[in-house]
Amino acid sequence: MAYRQQLLPMEKVFRDPVHDYIYIQHQVILDLINTSEFQRLRRIKQLGTTSLTFHGAEHSRFGHCLGVYEITRRICDNFERNYPTQTPGDGGWDDHERLVALCAALLHDIGHGPYSHTFEHIFHTDHEALTVQILTSPETEVNQVLQQVSPDFPAQVAAVIQKTYPNPQVVQMISSQIDADRMDYLLRDSYFTGTNYGNFDLTRILRVMKPYQGGITFAVEGMHAVEDYIVSRFQMYMQVYFHPVSRSMEVILDRLLERANDLYQSHAVDAEATPVMLLPFFNNNFTLHDYLRLDDGVLNTYFSHWRDSRDQILADLATRFLDRRPLKSARVDATTQPLIPTLQKLIEQAGFDTHYYTDINDSYDLPYDAYDPKMKKPRTQIELQQKDGSLLELSTVSDLVRAITGKVSGDQRFFFPKEMLSKNAENDLFKPIYQEFQQYILNDRLVVPH
């Protein structure tokens, strides 16, 4: 369906460290960027607690969303120039789809909240459902801007996010195994964390990307660029996204919010430290307006208040989070898993409430995924197109990808207070407990003591 695609008299640019310039050509895109809901994304870090491990990772979801828009714009340009549709159903690109693709790219993360994945876990929110709500609710500025394109346009953009949009080319640009979202966050996260693992040849990948009836494919001669992307992604998961310190700070954040919620539910919260803006979430009865008021700064302000709470656990967890005092962790496997109750008993004897100060955290459950064509719910596969038009699934022709497909290991870790590893506890009442505990830890792993 053709939408009104009003162009700006002169294109505007955002200067970007990853893409150099981000080109804004449509009035609707500029208007969306200027909405209050989109500007909120400046106040939400893209990588949450990861900035406490990689200090450069202060970048926001605002920058990431602009980057996803820019990659999508380049894909549309390539498709329009090289693969335009000639007859309906020929698998070529219909440039009337450009605006819905660009808006979906720009707005795909607009429903994220502060420290999003931890917040979602505690308060059972769903950023994708909230994204759809922001797009379709008449009370948002975003909806009002989208309505100016056409009355059904907000629902069309929402359908791309929900993966129900009828054209799979548009859906796969934003959400597939190799999409604008992942390509931007790998490059952006790599840049800001100061690591090189996430770098790959974006220009080459965009060059070999092609539309076809089933969605998007890649010319077979571009296989090595796609391999490079898969390996980059694998490395970023292992080295950055699954980093034990980031996960440890996430555990503290999770327990901190949980403790505040528990105190509120038991009417034990200090009146002066009542987190008014979080109460709708504690009460499990929040509106979209309540949600959009939150950002990282709001949560950090409450954490700062909670440092002085009369509740020792709340005050301690808030201090550990704000002052970056991570829990320690050790890797667990099937043979050492049964040791955990013994260790928890020792931690309790050392004066810690194990509910708030320990956790078993499995990196497979983190909100990142790995390329695996054999998953129970396989995502869109990466297809390579041969000269005759036939398609090959990537791992069937790439030895490199086959070697890591389905084998992203991650790890399972047991998290506990750093004090349990204390070596200088001469006058400490708990010295014998620490010493007993330490017999179970060797080389960052739980072990059965000799």
Side-chain angles (χ1 to χ4, degrees), residues 107-112 126-136 142 158 161 288 291:
L107 302 173
H108 77 284
D109 266 356
I110 201 163
H112 270 291
D126 176 346
H127 71 269
E128 211 161 279
L130 284 154
T131 294
V132 169
Q133 215 179 323
I134 291 165
L135 298 178
T136 56
V142 162
I161 307 294
L288 187 58
Y291 186 77

Side-chain angles (χ1 to χ4, degrees), residues 238 242-244 247 329-332 360-366 408-415 444-445:
M238 296 299 99
F242 292 166
H243 195 289
R247 283 158 63 191
S329 66
R331 295 180 75 151
V332 183
I360 300 165
N361 176 291
D362 188 330
S363 64
Y364 307 109
D365 289 337
L366 292 185
V408 174
S409 50
D411 61 11
Q412 191 174 50
R413 286 182 172 269
F414 175 59
F415 289 85
D444 196 29
R445 291 179 178 274

Side-chain angles (χ1 to χ4, degrees), residues 330-345:
R331 295 180 75 151
V332 183
D333 58 32
T335 58
T336 54
Q337 182 106 20
L339 299 174
I340 289 174
T342 306
L343 296 178
Q344 286 179 319
K345 210 164 278 178

